Amino acid sequence: MTSKSIIQVANLNNTSALASVQHASIQEIGGDQVFLVLRILDMTPSMDPYIDEMIKAERENIKALTDSSDVAEFLISTWLFNSQNGFVVLDGFVPLADVTPLTRSIYQTAGMTNLYDTVYTALKDDKAGVLAYANTLHLSGITPKVAVGIFTDGADNRSSIDPSQIKSQISLAEGYYFTLFAFGTDFGQQAATAMGIPNVLEHDAKPGAIRKMMGTFSKSVVRASQTTVAPNSFIA
C-alpha cells in the first residue's frame, strides 16, 4: 500500500517539497480505471467555529465513498490552505484505507485566503498535481475519472496566481468534475467564474452547512462513479 505523507509548503515560490508526495503506483492500482478525488479545504481563522464540523465532514466523506460499490476505484488526496502555512498536502492520491484523517493537530487555522495559489498548484504541479498524475495513469492504460471539490468560506485575498491561469488548466481537463463549495454567500459564483469552475454550491455560513455540502460532494462523486455525468451537471 502507499505510505502516508503530510507535506507542508510554506513558500509558494519553492514547491520542491512536493516531489516527496507519493501517489498510488500503477502496480498498486491493479485495474484499468480509477476515480481521483481531490479535496481542497480552507484552513483560515474564519473557520475556527467550524473546525470540529469540518473534521467530521471529512470523515463522513471517506465513509460514504467506502460504503459505495466502487470503493476500490477511489484514490484520495487532500490539500489544506492558508497564507501563513502556504498549503499542507495530506497524502498523494491513495486508496481510501490509506487516507490520513483530518484532526485538530493537522487542521490548525492561520493566515489569509490563498485560494488561487493552492488550486493552481494542486492542479498543475508536475509531481503532486492531479492533472499530471491523471495523465500518467492515462499513458499507462488506466482510465481516470477526476473530481475536484474546493471548500472555502471566503474570497481569495492573498494569492499571487491570477485565476485566469487556473481557468486555462481547467479548460484542458475535458470531462473532469470541478466544484466550488462556498461556505457563505456573495463570493462563490464570482470566484468560480474567474477560475472557470462550472459547478458552484453556496450555503449560508451556519452550523451544519459544511457537513451538508460535503454530503452533497460525496453523493455526487458516488453518482459519477456509477454512471456518465456531464461535467457541468456534477452536483447530485
Side-chain angles (χ1 to χ4, degrees), residues 37 61-68 71 74 76 96 218 221-222:
V37 180
N61 173 241
I62 295 302
K63 184 179 187 304
L65 300 185
T66 300
D67 290 344
S68 75
V71 55
F74 294 118
I76 315 299
L96 288 163
S218 300
V221 169
V222 170

Side-chain angles (χ1 to χ4, degrees), residues 221-233:
V221 169
V222 170
R223 182 183 67 152
S225 74
Q226 297 172 346
T227 188
T228 300
V229 177
N232 61 351
S233 301

Side-chain angles (χ1 to χ4, degrees), residues 81-100:
F81 67 90
N82 62 54
S83 63
Q84 181 169 310
N85 298 321
F87 47 78
V88 178
V89 182
L90 302 186
D91 312 311
F93 285 97
V94 298
L96 288 163
D98 285 355
V99 171
T100 300

Side-chain angles (χ1 to χ4, degrees), residues 55-203:
I55 291 171
K56 188 167 186 177
E58 183 274 331
R59 296 182 180 183
E60 289 173 345
N61 173 241
I62 295 302
K63 184 179 187 304
L65 300 185
T66 300
D67 290 344
S68 75
S69 59
D70 296 309
V71 55
E73 295 184 4
F74 294 118
L75 298 176
I76 315 299
S77 182
T78 306
W79 292 50
L80 315 174
F81 67 90
N82 62 54
S83 63
Q84 181 169 310
N85 298 321
F87 47 78
V88 178
V89 182
L90 302 186
D91 312 311
F93 285 97
V94 298
L96 288 163
D98 285 355
V99 171
T100 300
L102 203 59
T103 64
R104 273 188 166 265
S105 63
I106 293 172
Y107 192 82
Q108 297 189 18
T109 62
M112 301 179 74
T113 307
N114 55 332
L115 173 64
Y116 298 151
D117 285 344
T118 307
V119 173
Y120 181 78
T121 307
L123 298 183
K124 178 65 174 175
D125 187 79
D126 290 340
K127 298 294 184 181
V130 62
L131 299 183
Y133 182 51
N135 186 57
T136 296
L137 295 176
H138 178 74
L139 293 175
S140 301
I142 298 172
T143 301
K145 288 185 176 181
V146 176
V148 179
I150 304 161
F151 293 78
T152 183
D153 72 339
D156 190 294
N157 55 17
R158 190 47 69 93
S159 289
S160 58
I161 290 291
D162 190 278
S164 64
Q165 295 174 265
I166 300 170
K167 192 171 187 176
S168 295
Q169 293 303 312
I170 289 178
S171 69
L172 299 174
E174 185 175 354
Y176 294 173
Y177 306 112
F178 295 90
T179 305
L180 178 68
F181 293 90
F183 181 59
T185 58
D186 301 327
F187 73 92
Q189 188 61 62
Q190 182 177 356
T193 299
M195 290 186 284
I197 294 176
N199 303 290
V200 185
L201 183 62
E202 293 183 297
H203 202 292

